[in-house]
Amino acid sequence: MTEAHGTDPDTAPGGELHGTDGLVDELDLLEQQPLEARAEQLARIHDRLQAELGAVRG
């Protein structure tokens, strides 16, 4: 924890570690879906994560 500001630089606002809690929840829900629906939804998640990674890389 950063003492000067009282925040952890690895933690996003709201206490989520770089927003991974939302992704884990989304994947947990996805696992409950029929197999046919999972592939399309996983492709969307993949595309979204690729876009976010591209935005971070510049």
Side-chain angles (χ1 to χ4, degrees), residues 18-36:
H18 296 291
T20 56
D21 287 346
L23 177 59
V24 171
D25 290 342
E26 188 175 357
L27 292 172
D28 285 343
L29 288 173
L30 182 60
E31 286 180 352
Q32 299 172 16
Q33 302 300 314
L35 184 59
E36 298 80 28

